[in-house]
Amino acid sequence: MARWRRFLGAAAAALTVASMGTLMQASPASAADDGPQQVVGGTTATQGEFPFMVRLSMGCGGALYSSTLVLTAAHCVSGTGTNTSITATIGVVDLQSSSRVTRKSNYVYRAPGYNGNGKDWALIRLASPVTGYATLPIATTTAYDTGTFTIAGWGAASEGGGQQRYLRKATVPFVSDATCNSSSMYNGQIIASNEICAGYAAGGVDTCQGDSGGPMFRRNASNAWVQVGIVSWGDGCARPNKPGVYTQVSFFASTIASAAASLGG
């Protein structure tokens, strides 16, 4: 069964910036099904390589949309409203680094109409701005929704594994909607209008549990990073013919921008 790529279970409640950090992806399933997901088959990122990466204390990832907003997955949050319980860790590869920057949340905005089937995005507003770190622009057209993408996170490095201390990265190729929805892959489960698949038919490289909400991104025509996806779900991690499934950011770009403006970001 498909599983969200949020890190759940006994460790989730105790997740702290000092102890957790592996890239993982999740799929729509019950907590009982959830296995650890991280960037499987990747390598450790270098300090400063992806300054927009954010680790969230509930066991998810995210990206700096602005100095006060983090873009993540809807399934990582409980709903829209005041929320002061989330800690965001920013600016480091090593979650235990003394130079890490942390901010508490003060509000969460979850995609309107989210019910666990598509629309998997949310914005977390930070209690105070972070400065000196690059934000990650989102794709506003489908121009960059194909090709080769970069994924990164602190989720599990293998299916069922633990969260990572150091940020990991990998590259994955685009998989067409038709291929991803074929009987050999997800057999019609993909929402073609607003989800993107990426991965290798042979498996081996993928996001995993703990990577949910993190960005999938690539270079644009100006060689700058642009976010095209949000880690959402998948069947296990890095299994053959089971690519990762990501929220298609370009489809929601205008709605995300409007929500960000309403939050002052």
Side-chain angles (χ1 to χ4, degrees):
M1 185 175 184
R3 291 168 293 181
W4 296 116
R5 290 186 172 175
R6 174 180 175 183
F7 187 71
L8 298 175
L15 187 64
T16 67
V17 297
S19 64
M20 304 305 286
T22 304
L23 180 64
M24 299 186 67
Q25 189 172 307
S27 316
S30 67
D33 290 327
D34 280 330
Q37 288 180 334
Q38 73 180 9
V39 173
V40 178
T43 58
T44 302
T46 59
Q47 180 59 35
E49 188 173 5
F50 308 122
F52 44 76
M53 290 296 301
V54 178
R55 180 64 179 174
L56 298 169
S57 56
M58 80 287 276
C60 286
L64 278 177
Y65 178 90
S66 72
S67 62
T68 56
L69 296 174
V70 176
L71 181 62
T72 188
H75 76 265
C76 288
V77 299
S78 58
T80 296
T82 300
N83 186 323
T84 60
S85 68
I86 302 167
T87 299
T89 302
I90 303 150
V92 292
V93 165
D94 177 3
L95 292 179
Q96 296 184 23
S97 171
S98 60
S99 63
R100 67 182 181 268
V101 172
T102 61
R103 292 288 189 275
K104 297 295 288 188
S105 61
N106 66 13
Y107 195 87
V108 169
Y109 183 100
R110 192 169 70 176
Y114 172 74
N115 63 3
N117 189 30
K119 300 180 180 178
D120 195 11
W121 65 269
L123 289 166
I124 296 171
R125 189 172 65 191
L126 306 177
S128 61
V130 290
T131 58
Y133 297 101
T135 57
L136 182 59
I138 63 172
T140 56
T141 73
T142 59
Y144 301 110
D145 287 353
T146 58
T148 299
F149 309 118
T150 297
I151 50 176
W154 289 270
S158 61
E159 188 172 332
Q163 301 297 279
Q164 304 296 303
R165 171 178 171 178
Y166 298 96
L167 180 68
R168 292 174 63 85
K169 64 176 182 177
T171 57
V172 287
F174 170 75
V175 177
S176 71
D177 292 336
T179 300
C180 203
N181 259 333
S182 67
S183 58
S184 64
M185 289 194 175
Y186 285 113
N187 198 29
Q189 296 180 66
I190 307 305
I191 304 173
S193 64
N194 63 75
E195 292 181 327
I196 297 178
C197 296
Y200 296 91
V205 180
D206 197 5
T207 50
C208 199
Q209 264 66 54
D211 290 329
S212 280
M216 180 170 73
F217 46 101
R218 55 160 290 176
R219 297 288 187 178
N220 64 15
S222 302
N223 202 38
W225 291 121
V226 60
Q227 182 171 357
V228 298
I230 299 169
V231 178
S232 185
W233 62 277
D235 193 349
C237 302
R239 296 180 186 178
N241 291 316
K242 296 297 180 182
V245 184
Y246 301 80
T247 303
Q248 188 170 356
V249 171
S250 62
F251 183 85
F252 299 104
S254 60
T255 309
I256 292 171
S258 294
S262 74
L263 295 173

